Amino acid sequence: MTDTITVVDNRTGREYTLPIVDGTIRASDLAQIRAEGDDHGLMAYDPAYLNTASCRSTITFIDGDKGILRYRGYPIEQVAETASFLETAYLLLEGELPTATQLAAWEDDVKYHTYVHTNITKFLSGFRYDAHPMGMLLGAVGALSTFYPDAKDIHDPHSRYVQRVRLMAKVPTIAAFLFRHSRGLPYVFPRNDLGYIGNFVNMTFEIGGKHEPNPVLQRALEILLILHADHEQNCSTSAVRSVGSSQVDPFSAVSAGIAALYGPLHGGANEAVLRMLDEIGDVANVPAFIESVKAGKGRLMGFGHRVYKSYDPRAKLIKRVADDVFEQTGLNPKLKIAVELERIALEDEYFVSRRLYPNVDFYSGLIYQAMGYPTDYFTVLFALGRLPGWIAQWEEMLRDKEQKIARPRQIYVGAAERPFVPLAERG
Ligand code: CMC
């Protein structure tokens, strides 16, 4: 058996043998297949990249049929059970688990970059009181590039490390400021005596210089961030890679990722789930809601996934986190509606035949709400979690000799050449 594929172009009768490497053929190998000498050659047409590998990656492995997710080879269940978020970030960014010394140095570097330039607080205060925090976040993170012009030195490994530390350290501070902004509360500045999660929670919830930390809720938040830390070539990561491929600075590239995450089909789904549960209102209304989804009137938010065609392993872990959190906070009343939605959907032919299962966003919003975060803030928390993944994927893209500026092709289906009609002659 040779690792090649032979195709016959029935337009010309010519035969081509193309190499198969890692279960793929190179789309550019198709270009040699021409019907006429001057055509551009055969292209692969794949809207939404349903079956196209855009890169080689060593970061995250997913088997969507078996419900497997691994970071750098380590099963997500084991990482979430044992690691801290910064340890997970180190793993994703550096490729290996840190030693105790390496972890301490990494934690220190991040800790001492948590402050942001005070001008950032000035422009944040220019946002309307009801501005969506994701809109503010993508603007503020993009603006960081103007504070750190050295971030343009993307080919310098030291500069890349500094920007990585700045992103990991300052995005939680900005995220916490947005939370305070929406409430008209004064900003709480970072505290270096607290850990990464403890500091973030303190910056969001401290009132009058006081906040009583709840270790169970803090660990739950940490696990949620770990579960969101990377998910290979999803929409926002592809956005970071694609924008980063123009060789723009990492703050601008990550801000593109935040924009992509904002959408309701991606990270915005956790917010959409809560709005959906509010709309359903009562367990008694669940069957009617399911029928309306089946009739094409909207989607069951938090269900379905491009890659997972079985139970999302993150959703399984999140259900366990939910138990811990609700034990502390009391049951979120909307949980009953969510559980009933899941029960019916998992038995219903419509969802079963399409292999639609709860995804990471189905239960996470209920937990964030129980922790005291408002609905429009959920996707910001997702962004905090996904940050190391975006940076790791950006770095991998930059170091990949095969990558160039991302620039897909198209099939032009518009008008053929026609003479321009002056304004006065247009009917
Ligand atoms: N509710 C009802 N029907 C659905 C849903 C859903 N949530 N998801 C997919 N379908 C149906 C869809 O209508 C289609 O049916 P048909 O074959 O009859 O036309 C079939 O399932 C396949 O759907 P698709 O749109 O081709 O699937 P996709 O891979 O393009 O979309 C998805 C994946 C996640 C965008 C989609 O499942 C969806 O919109 N889910 C709801 C939003 C959501 O929860 N997003 C979070 C995704 S996970 C975390 C993240 O990425 O942030």
Side-chain angles (χ1 to χ4, degrees):
M1 192 178 86
T2 56
D3 286 347
T4 57
I5 182 167
T6 301
V7 288
V8 177
D9 184 345
N10 293 322
R11 299 170 301 177
T12 61
R14 280 198 285 269
E15 200 176 278
Y16 302 82
T17 299
L18 311 177
I20 299 176
V21 179
D22 294 330
T24 64
I25 57 161
R26 279 187 181 259
S28 55
D29 282 349
L30 299 174
Q32 61 184 298
I33 304 177
R34 293 165 195 251
E36 286 158 28
D38 62 348
D39 75 22
H40 293 296
L42 204 63
M43 288 193 291
Y45 177 57
D46 189 11
Y49 307 116
L50 290 175
N51 195 30
T52 294
S54 63
C55 61
R56 292 169 167 277
S57 183
T58 60
I59 303 172
T60 290
F61 172 80
I62 300 177
D63 183 328
D65 287 325
K66 297 195 184 121
I68 292 174
L69 169 62
R70 296 184 200 130
Y71 293 162
R72 301 280 189 189
Y74 296 105
I76 187 65
E77 294 78 7
Q78 293 173 26
V79 180
E81 178 83 31
T82 329
S84 70
F85 180 62
L86 277 186
E87 198 179 351
T88 308
Y90 185 103
L91 172 68
L92 291 170
L93 290 160
E94 302 289 350
E96 294 298 336
L97 287 168
T99 61
T101 318
Q102 287 167 330
L103 182 59
W106 167 237
E107 286 172 344
D108 260 27
D109 283 350
V110 172
K111 190 177 282 181
Y112 290 107
H113 284 81
T114 47
Y115 266 71
V116 292
H117 195 292
T118 44
N119 283 1
I120 289 178
T121 62
K122 286 191 200 146
F123 72 70
L124 287 184
S125 59
F127 282 107
R128 276 172 54 125
Y129 72 97
D130 60 351
H132 196 288
M134 281 300 277
M136 292 193 273
L137 186 69
L138 75 92
V141 173
L144 282 181
S145 72
T146 66
F147 289 84
Y148 304 110
D150 58 313
K152 285 189 172 52
D153 297 337
I154 55 166
H155 299 299
D156 172 10
H158 175 69
S159 172
R160 287 205 301 269
Y161 181 76
V162 173
Q163 314 321 325
R164 171 196 291 190
V165 168
R166 284 176 173 153
L167 274 162
M168 288 299 298
K170 293 179 200 305
V171 174
T173 308
I174 293 173
F177 286 2
L178 305 179
F179 178 87
R180 310 285 294 191
H181 174 89
S182 309
R183 273 156 195 72
L185 290 168
Y187 301 139
V188 174
F189 288 91
R191 271 185 45 193
N192 291 349
D193 60 317
L194 299 175
Y196 192 80
I197 304 292
N199 176 48
F200 171 70
V201 171
N202 189 67
M203 287 190 293
T204 47
F205 290 124
E206 186 201 281
I207 295 284
K210 288 202 187 96
H211 170 67
E212 203 56 59
N214 179 326
V216 177
L217 296 191
Q218 288 198 7
R219 180 61 193 157
L221 180 60
E222 181 155 47
I223 293 175
L224 286 176
L225 298 192
I226 293 171
L227 295 179
H228 286 88
D230 193 54
H231 213 234
E232 50 120 302
Q233 307 313 314
N234 56 85
C235 178
S236 57
T237 300
S238 301
V240 171
R241 277 181 174 261
S242 188
V243 170
S245 76
S246 74
Q247 303 203 344
V248 75
D249 67 89
F251 299 105
S252 303
V254 165
S255 128
I258 297 171
L261 192 73
Y262 192 176
L265 295 190
H266 192 9
N270 53 17
E271 178 178 342
V273 168
L274 259 282
R275 299 201 193 287
M276 174 186 77
L277 296 177
D278 281 338
E279 191 192 313
I280 297 171
D282 193 275
V283 175
N285 301 330
V286 167
F289 181 80
I290 293 272
E291 286 314 310
S292 75
V293 168
K294 287 162 61 178
K297 298 185 193 130
R299 292 199 158 190
L300 177 51
M301 300 312 285
F303 254 69
H305 199 275
R306 171 62 59 77
V307 181
Y308 292 121
K309 300 302 171 197
S310 67
Y311 214 102
D312 182 335
R314 301 167 300 171
K316 256 188 220 157
L317 294 164
I318 282 180
K319 274 178 101 170
R320 267 193 257 149
V321 173
D323 291 339
D324 296 345
V325 169
F326 297 146
E327 207 173 285
Q328 301 285 314
T329 62
L331 223 52
N332 187 326
K334 294 185 194 100
L335 180 68
K336 272 195 183 157
I337 304 174
V339 169
E340 182 63 0
L341 271 175
E342 180 184 345
R343 191 190 65 77
I344 298 190
L346 291 182
E347 287 174 357
D348 191 292
E349 208 278 324
Y350 175 96
F351 296 92
V352 173
S353 63
R354 289 171 179 76
R355 304 175 73 188
L356 302 171
Y357 293 87
N359 59 49
V360 70
D361 289 323
F362 193 64
Y363 285 105
S364 60
L366 289 168
I367 302 175
Y368 294 141
Q369 190 170 61
M371 287 173 170
Y373 292 106
T375 309
D376 64 2
Y377 197 72
F378 298 166
T379 315
V380 172
L381 297 167
F382 190 153
L384 289 185
R386 185 54 54 87
L387 187 58
W390 287 331
I391 308 169
Q393 299 268 355
W394 170 78
E395 174 102 22
E396 189 177 67
M397 180 272 305
L398 275 183
R399 290 158 69 149
D400 183 344
K401 296 267 185 303
E402 284 197 294
Q403 292 294 338
K404 290 169 178 277
I405 187 165
R407 203 314 185 175
R409 301 290 296 269
Q410 65 163 14
I411 303 170
Y412 177 71
V413 293
E417 183 181 345
R418 47 186 175 160
F420 182 79
V421 182
L423 186 58
E425 292 170 26
R426 287 176 220 158

